[in-house]
Amino acid sequence: MTSTLDRVLALADFFEANAHRAEAEGKVPDDVAAAIKSTGVVRMLQPLEYGGEEAHPVDFLKAVYNIGIHDGSAGWIAGVVAVHAHELAQGDRRLQDELWKEDNDTWIASPYAPMGRAKPVEGGYILNGRWPFSSGTDHCQWVTIGGLIVGEDGKPVDDHSHHFQLPRSDYVIDHESWNVMGLRGTGSKDLIVTDAFVPDYRVIDTDPVTDGTAAVEGRESPLYRMPRNMVFSGTITAATLALAKSVVDAYVSWTSERSNRFGKASADHYQLGALGAASADIDASLLVLFNDLEWAWDEVAAGRMISYSDRARIRRNQVRASTRAVNAADSVFRISGGSQLQSALPMQRRWRDAQAAMHHVQNLEGPIYYAYGMDLFGHPLEKSPVKI
């Protein structure tokens, strides 16, 4: 039986040949999106009953990574769109039926930032707001979107974030909002919601899925006991590591064909030193990412919860992995020579995409290190700067 990863690898040349088009179009082209869909990667975290795989998170991240090293925007979209199923599979069954019963290839966008304001009404909420950074949204039929519940005065009753699920007919995409220097191909545009009614069964309380305590009746897979942020942030890490690896791969490909004034392939000892160190750092980052999620899977499979301290440790490792890998890619780009600044060559695009990836909130090191350190020394976090 052909696995999802096998199908991804079979399309490697296609992704590589078409990667440049996403930046020009400001989104993943339609045929590339169709290729992503054909691999099955977006169904990997869906429940079996809805045509999904209930796959091990490491298998999922390997598929995302192997798309991303050939087409960074496609890898980013494959990961960010597909990972939503992990949380939504822990929601109300009526919501899951709406999402997947008729079409198990439904694509779901986000953003999670609680920019929306939801006013309680009979049977649900009236939601309003504007959200930036909805990656892959042009190809999605639904969105899972963050917001706070407000009182009669319109002010949030607390800072407790919820995720609201809306069909494509309930929001507007601002197609002029995505003008960026990197990851342009992700098409991470703004969304606008105006007075949309969201039934209460389409609303997910984020805390139980964040810590892995959400009840998932009738499902035995350890997947749905894995803490959400660990899986979501791991997806961002995998996509970022793929971008870093793609920079190094571009350098190797270019150097293999390059000739110096003596007619020989040119790579001096400084370049080779940087290449060796960078390759090792990226490989190490990938191993840490996979090993942590393997450990977490074994823990939940054995019926144990992942503690806050362990979640903080794993998140620490993930943000460090992204930073280490992108710094490694940067070290190779800086010694690659002036020719690599030419817009016609892929290395500069891949480098810009990797730099842009580090601006994602899941890759911000400081808040994670702070939370890890405070927990390590036994200091309670009355108001954590990030969700762990």
Side-chain angles (χ1 to χ4, degrees), residues 33 99 156 187:
L99 293 172

Side-chain angles (χ1 to χ4, degrees), residues 112-265:
Y112 286 138
M115 309 294 286
R117 297 296 178 261
K119 181 180 179 180
V121 295
E122 184 177 355
Y125 302 86
I126 298 297
L127 182 67
N128 286 276
R130 184 184 183 110
W131 294 256
F133 305 119
S134 182
S135 297
T137 198
D138 287 292
H139 300 290
C140 294
Q141 296 81 50
W142 282 73
V143 67
T144 176
I145 204 161
L148 301 176
I149 295 173
V150 300
E152 290 296 327
D153 60 0
K155 297 180 180 179
V157 297
D158 54 34
D159 60 0
H160 191 60
S161 179
H162 292 74
H163 290 164
F164 301 81
Q165 328 308 320
L166 285 75
R168 180 67 186 82
S169 58
D170 285 356
Y171 59 92
V172 173
I173 301 172
D174 181 354
H175 292 286
E176 302 303 318
S177 60
W178 188 238
N179 297 289
V180 291
M181 55 75 68
L183 284 178
R184 180 171 173 78
T186 64
S188 303
K189 302 170 182 177
D190 290 11
L191 302 183
I192 303 166
V193 174
T194 304
D195 292 334
F197 173 69
V198 185
D200 51 15
Y201 68 85
R202 290 190 195 157
V203 182
I204 294 178
D205 182 353
T206 62
D207 283 354
V209 290
T210 294
D211 60 22
T213 60
V216 188
E217 184 179 352
R219 296 214 176 96
E220 302 301 324
S221 172
L223 174 63
Y224 304 121
R225 296 192 298 278
M226 295 279 283
R228 182 190 73 88
N229 283 9
M230 184 186 303
V231 177
F232 177 71
S233 59
T235 303
I236 298 299
T237 302
T240 303
L241 299 188
L243 290 166
K245 178 66 160 56
S246 76
V247 174
V248 174
D249 286 351
Y251 172 79
V252 172
S253 177
W254 169 72
T255 302
S256 298
E257 299 173 359
R258 180 189 182 196
S259 296
N260 61 18
R261 61 185 182 274
F262 301 110
K264 299 177 181 178

